[in-house]
Short mmCIF file of all heavy atoms in Angstrom, two decimals:
data_model
loop_
_atom_site.label_atom_id
_atom_site.label_comp_id
_atom_site.label_asym_id
_atom_site.label_seq_id
_atom_site.Cartn_x
_atom_site.Cartn_y
_atom_site.Cartn_z
N MET T 1 57.97 110.37 36.82
CA MET T 1 58.80 110.19 35.66
C MET T 1 59.51 108.85 35.79
O MET T 1 60.02 108.50 36.84
CB MET T 1 59.83 111.32 35.54
CG MET T 1 60.69 111.12 34.35
SD MET T 1 61.98 112.32 33.94
CE MET T 1 61.52 113.79 34.68
N PHE T 2 59.53 108.10 34.70
CA PHE T 2 60.25 106.84 34.68
C PHE T 2 61.72 107.09 34.37
O PHE T 2 62.05 108.00 33.62
CB PHE T 2 59.65 105.89 33.64
CG PHE T 2 58.26 105.47 33.94
CD1 PHE T 2 57.23 105.80 33.08
CD2 PHE T 2 57.96 104.77 35.09
CE1 PHE T 2 55.93 105.41 33.35
CE2 PHE T 2 56.67 104.38 35.38
CZ PHE T 2 55.65 104.70 34.50
N ASN T 3 62.58 106.25 34.92
CA ASN T 3 64.02 106.36 34.70
C ASN T 3 64.42 105.35 33.64
O ASN T 3 64.32 104.15 33.85
CB ASN T 3 64.75 106.10 36.02
CG ASN T 3 66.24 106.25 35.90
OD1 ASN T 3 66.81 106.20 34.83
ND2 ASN T 3 66.89 106.43 37.04
N CYS T 4 64.91 105.82 32.50
CA CYS T 4 65.27 104.89 31.43
C CYS T 4 66.55 104.13 31.74
O CYS T 4 66.92 103.22 31.00
CB CYS T 4 65.36 105.60 30.08
SG CYS T 4 66.53 106.94 29.98
N GLY T 5 67.20 104.43 32.84
CA GLY T 5 68.37 103.66 33.25
C GLY T 5 68.00 102.41 34.02
O GLY T 5 68.84 101.56 34.28
N VAL T 6 66.73 102.28 34.38
CA VAL T 6 66.24 101.11 35.12
C VAL T 6 65.13 100.51 34.29
O VAL T 6 63.97 100.87 34.42
CB VAL T 6 65.71 101.51 36.52
CG1 VAL T 6 65.21 100.29 37.28
CG2 VAL T 6 66.77 102.24 37.33
N MET T 40 65.29 111.29 28.22
CA MET T 40 64.29 110.97 29.25
C MET T 40 62.88 111.31 28.77
O MET T 40 61.93 110.57 29.02
CB MET T 40 64.60 111.71 30.55
CG MET T 40 65.81 111.15 31.27
SD MET T 40 65.58 109.46 31.85
CE MET T 40 64.64 109.76 33.32
N PHE T 43 61.82 108.68 26.21
CA PHE T 43 61.56 107.41 26.88
C PHE T 43 60.22 107.46 27.62
O PHE T 43 59.41 106.54 27.51
CB PHE T 43 62.68 107.06 27.85
CG PHE T 43 62.37 105.85 28.67
CD1 PHE T 43 62.47 104.59 28.13
CD2 PHE T 43 61.96 105.98 29.99
CE1 PHE T 43 62.16 103.47 28.87
CE2 PHE T 43 61.65 104.87 30.75
CZ PHE T 43 61.75 103.61 30.19
N ASN T 44 59.97 108.52 28.36
CA ASN T 44 58.73 108.62 29.11
C ASN T 44 57.52 108.73 28.19
O ASN T 44 56.48 108.14 28.47
CB ASN T 44 58.79 109.80 30.09
CG ASN T 44 59.46 109.40 31.37
OD1 ASN T 44 58.80 108.91 32.28
ND2 ASN T 44 60.77 109.57 31.44
N ALA T 47 57.05 105.15 26.81
CA ALA T 47 56.59 104.25 27.87
C ALA T 47 55.13 104.49 28.22
O ALA T 47 54.33 103.55 28.32
CB ALA T 47 57.46 104.44 29.11
N ARG T 48 54.74 105.74 28.37
CA ARG T 48 53.37 106.06 28.77
C ARG T 48 52.37 105.96 27.63
O ARG T 48 51.21 105.64 27.85
CB ARG T 48 53.32 107.45 29.39
CG ARG T 48 54.08 107.50 30.71
CD ARG T 48 54.02 108.87 31.34
NE ARG T 48 54.81 108.93 32.56
CZ ARG T 48 54.40 108.51 33.74
NH1 ARG T 48 53.20 107.97 33.87
NH2 ARG T 48 55.18 108.62 34.80
N LEU T 55 53.50 98.32 31.99
CA LEU T 55 54.55 98.82 32.88
C LEU T 55 54.38 98.31 34.30
O LEU T 55 53.27 98.28 34.82
CB LEU T 55 54.52 100.35 32.92
CG LEU T 55 54.99 101.07 31.68
CD1 LEU T 55 54.73 102.57 31.84
CD2 LEU T 55 56.45 100.83 31.45
N PHE T 56 55.48 97.95 34.88
CA PHE T 56 55.51 97.56 36.29
C PHE T 56 56.64 98.36 36.93
O PHE T 56 57.78 98.30 36.48
CB PHE T 56 55.77 96.06 36.45
CG PHE T 56 54.68 95.22 35.86
CD1 PHE T 56 54.80 94.70 34.59
CD2 PHE T 56 53.53 94.95 36.59
CE1 PHE T 56 53.80 93.94 34.03
CE2 PHE T 56 52.52 94.18 36.04
CZ PHE T 56 52.65 93.67 34.76
N HIS T 57 56.32 99.10 37.99
CA HIS T 57 57.33 99.91 38.65
C HIS T 57 56.97 100.05 40.11
O HIS T 57 55.87 99.67 40.54
CB HIS T 57 57.47 101.28 37.98
CG HIS T 57 56.20 102.05 37.94
ND1 HIS T 57 55.86 102.94 38.92
CD2 HIS T 57 55.18 102.05 37.05
CE1 HIS T 57 54.69 103.47 38.64
NE2 HIS T 57 54.25 102.93 37.51
N ASN T 62 61.63 98.72 41.70
CA ASN T 62 62.65 99.76 41.89
C ASN T 62 62.35 100.64 43.10
O ASN T 62 61.21 100.82 43.48
CB ASN T 62 62.78 100.63 40.65
CG ASN T 62 61.49 101.33 40.31
OD1 ASN T 62 60.60 100.71 39.73
ND2 ASN T 62 61.37 102.60 40.65
N HIS T 79 67.86 102.85 42.66
CA HIS T 79 68.35 104.08 42.03
C HIS T 79 69.62 104.49 42.76
O HIS T 79 69.78 104.23 43.95
CB HIS T 79 67.32 105.20 42.14
CG HIS T 79 66.16 105.01 41.24
ND1 HIS T 79 66.23 105.27 39.88
CD2 HIS T 79 64.90 104.59 41.46
CE1 HIS T 79 65.06 105.01 39.34
NE2 HIS T 79 64.25 104.60 40.28
#
Side-chain angles (χ1 to χ4, degrees):
M1 179 179 337
F2 295 118
N3 183 340
C4 59
V6 180
M40 289 295 281
F43 173 76
N44 275 272
R48 293 181 183 279
L55 288 173
F56 297 96
H57 57 92
N62 60 281
H79 287 283

